[in-house]
Amino acid sequence: MRDFAVPALPTRVAFGSGRLASLRDELTNTGLGPAVLLCTASGRELAHRVAAELPEATVGVFDQARMHVPRATVEAARKAAASLGAEACIAVGGGSAVGLAKALALEAALPYMAVPTTYSGSEMTAVWGITEAREKTTGRDERVRPRAVVYDPDLTASLSAGVSVTSGVNAIAHAAEALYAPDRSPLTDLMAREAVRAMTAALPGVAERPDAPGARSSALYAAWLCGTCLGMTTMSLHHKLCHVLGGALDLPHAPTHAVLLPHVLAFNLTAAPEARELLAQALDDDDPPAHLWRLNQTLGVPASLRELGADRADLATANVQTLAVPYPNPRPVDRNDLDRLLSAAFAGDAPPGLSCRA
Ligand code: NAD
C-alpha cells in the first residue's frame, strides 16, 4: 500500500429523482439569504421554474452565464445581484452557471447552492476560472465550493443527446486523470473506477433515449463521482490542454475534452501502468484508449478539433501555452510529443498505436 492523504469531503450532496423538491430544506439548512438564480440563456426556463417553486427564497434570475466565465459576465452578474438585494446565489445548469456562481463567491462573497444539470462536475471542486482578454485565469480556493449540491436526474432529461454525451466524456476525463494524479489515494481510485464503469455503461442509453430515467440517473451518479475525483486530485496534461484550447481558442469545453481524451490517454498510460490496469478493469477492456475512442464513435461525439472550429495555426499557440506552465504529468512531454498529439486530434486520426475504427 502506498502512503496517502485524503482530504475531508467538504460539500453536502443530496441526490435523487424529484430531489429538487428538497431545495427549500437545503436552503434553510445551509442558512442562505435571499438568492438570485444563475443560469445560461438556454437554461432560463428551468431557472424560472425553480424560482417559481421558491418565491420566498429567491429574488430573481440572471440568465447570462456563459462558458469560461467572461469577466464582463461576472461584472454584470455582480451588479444584478446587488440591485436585486441578493445575499446568495443558486446556480441551475452546467459548469457555466456554476462557474459564474464561483466567481461571485470569490469576488463578491456571495455563498451559493448548486443544482447541476450537466455532467461536467464543477460543483464538486474548489477550482474557479475567469476569462479576460482571451486568457483564462484559474485558481483553487475553498470559498468557491457550494454550500450544498442538489442532484436531481429529472432535470437532466431536457439536456440534448449531443450535449449529454460530450459532457459525460468530459466527466470520464476527470476520473481517468485522477487515476494517475500525484495525489491520488485508494479512495479516489475506488471512486474513479466506479465512475468510469457507471458513466461508460450509462452513456449509450442516454444517447439513444435522452429522456430515459434509468440511464440519466446512472450518468448523474457517475458525474458526481467524477467531479469528486476532480475536486480531490491534481489534473494533468489532458486538463491543461483543454484549458488552453478553451480559454485561448474558445473551443467548446466538453467536446474538446471528448476529442482529446483517447489521444492523451494513449500517450500517458504507457507511463502509468496502475492507471491503465484500473481503467482496464472499469471498462472490461485491456486497451482503455481504444475503448474510449470507439465509445466516442458509437456516441457520435465529434472526432476532431477541426470540427470544433480550431484552426491549424492555433495548434502552435496551444503547444506553447501548454508547455509554458505545465501541469504535473506521469509522462514527460515535449514540443514534438504535443505537436504529434494535437495534429492527430486536429485531423481526427486515431491515436498512434490504435487500430480502432468502430
Ligand atoms: P454548460 O454549462 O455551458 O452547458 C452546456 C449547454 O447545455 C448550455 O447551453 C446550457 O444552457 C445547456 N443546458 C444545461 N443544462 C441543461 C438542461 N438540463 N436542459 C437543457 N439544456 C441544458 O456546459 P458544461 O460542460 O457543463 O460546463 C462548461 C464550463 O464549466 C466551462 O466553462 C468549463 O471550464 C467549466 N468547468 C469547470 C470545472 C471546475 O472545476 N472549475 C469543471 C468542469 C467544467
Side-chain angles (χ1 to χ4, degrees):
M1 178 59 69
R2 286 172 293 110
D3 294 355
F4 64 88
V6 179
L9 292 176
T11 308
R12 176 179 160 76
V13 168
F15 183 99
S17 168
R19 198 75 204 210
L20 183 63
S22 68
L23 188 56
R24 178 178 284 106
D25 292 343
E26 296 294 338
L27 279 168
T28 308
N29 292 343
T30 48
L32 292 192
V36 57
L37 286 110
L38 307 176
C39 62
T40 56
S42 60
R44 189 182 299 140
E45 196 187 313
L46 180 58
H48 280 282
R49 225 175 79 203
V50 175
E53 288 187 25
L54 298 166
E56 72 293 350
T58 57
V59 291
V61 173
F62 179 86
D63 62 9
Q64 290 157 48
R66 287 195 48 215
M67 203 166 283
H68 302 307
V69 197
R71 162 60 62 195
T73 309
V74 179
E75 297 313 324
R78 186 208 282 261
K79 275 194 197 131
S83 71
L84 290 165
E87 294 172 14
C89 302
I90 303 173
V92 180
S96 296
V98 173
L100 180 58
K102 287 178 163 181
L104 292 179
L106 187 72
E107 297 193 345
L110 288 173
Y112 76 101
M113 302 246 322
V115 182
T117 65
T118 72
Y119 307 135
S120 59
S122 178
E123 65 281 353
M124 296 311 298
T125 83
V127 177
W128 59 270
I130 297 176
T131 303
E132 199 164 6
R134 284 169 67 84
E135 196 154 334
K136 188 167 183 176
T137 306
T138 59
R140 197 176 272 269
D141 193 312
E142 289 301 317
R143 288 174 296 171
V144 308
R145 288 194 191 268
R147 293 287 173 88
V149 180
V150 175
Y151 285 108
D152 185 339
D154 300 354
L155 304 180
T156 62
S158 55
L159 196 61
S160 69
V163 177
S164 300
V165 295
T166 53
S167 184
V169 180
N170 178 185
I172 293 170
H174 307 330
E177 287 222 297
L179 287 168
Y180 50 63
D183 43 5
R184 63 185 260 248
S185 70
L187 184 59
T188 58
D189 282 356
L190 281 171
M191 287 192 295
R193 199 172 48 173
E194 166 63 359
V196 172
R197 184 205 62 73
M199 187 62 91
T200 51
L203 285 181
V206 169
E208 204 171 305
R209 272 204 47 208
D211 59 347
R216 281 295 190 186
S217 190
S218 300
L220 197 61
Y221 154 70
W224 160 61
L225 287 173
C226 291
T228 305
C229 290
L230 175 68
M232 292 176 78
T233 57
T234 303
M235 295 288 110
S236 299
L237 176 65
H238 174 80
H239 280 73
K240 176 68 190 187
L241 274 173
C242 291
H243 286 161
V244 167
L245 291 165
L249 308 178
D250 208 24
L251 295 193
H253 180 81
T256 304
H257 269 277
V259 169
L260 284 176
L261 187 62
H263 293 274
V264 178
L265 290 181
F267 179 79
N268 269 349
L269 290 183
T270 57
E274 277 187 67
R276 171 178 281 276
E277 174 56 28
L278 290 168
L279 272 175
Q281 289 170 13
L283 298 168
D284 197 19
D285 187 328
D286 62 10
D287 192 345
H291 187 102
L292 292 172
W293 171 264
R294 285 193 302 269
L295 180 67
N296 274 357
Q297 291 184 318
T298 307
L299 296 174
V301 164
S304 69
L305 296 177
R306 181 171 27 209
E307 279 172 67
L308 304 184
D311 195 281
R312 188 95 191 51
D314 292 338
L315 303 189
T317 314
N319 196 326
V320 169
Q321 287 195 12
T322 301
L323 294 178
V325 189
Y327 288 8
N329 200 53
R331 179 174 167 184
V333 53
D334 66 21
R335 209 157 56 87
N336 291 334
D337 296 327
L338 260 193
D339 190 42
R340 272 192 295 276
L341 191 158
L342 285 170
S343 297
F346 177 79
D349 294 340
L354 269 70
S355 56
C356 44
R357 292 280 163 207

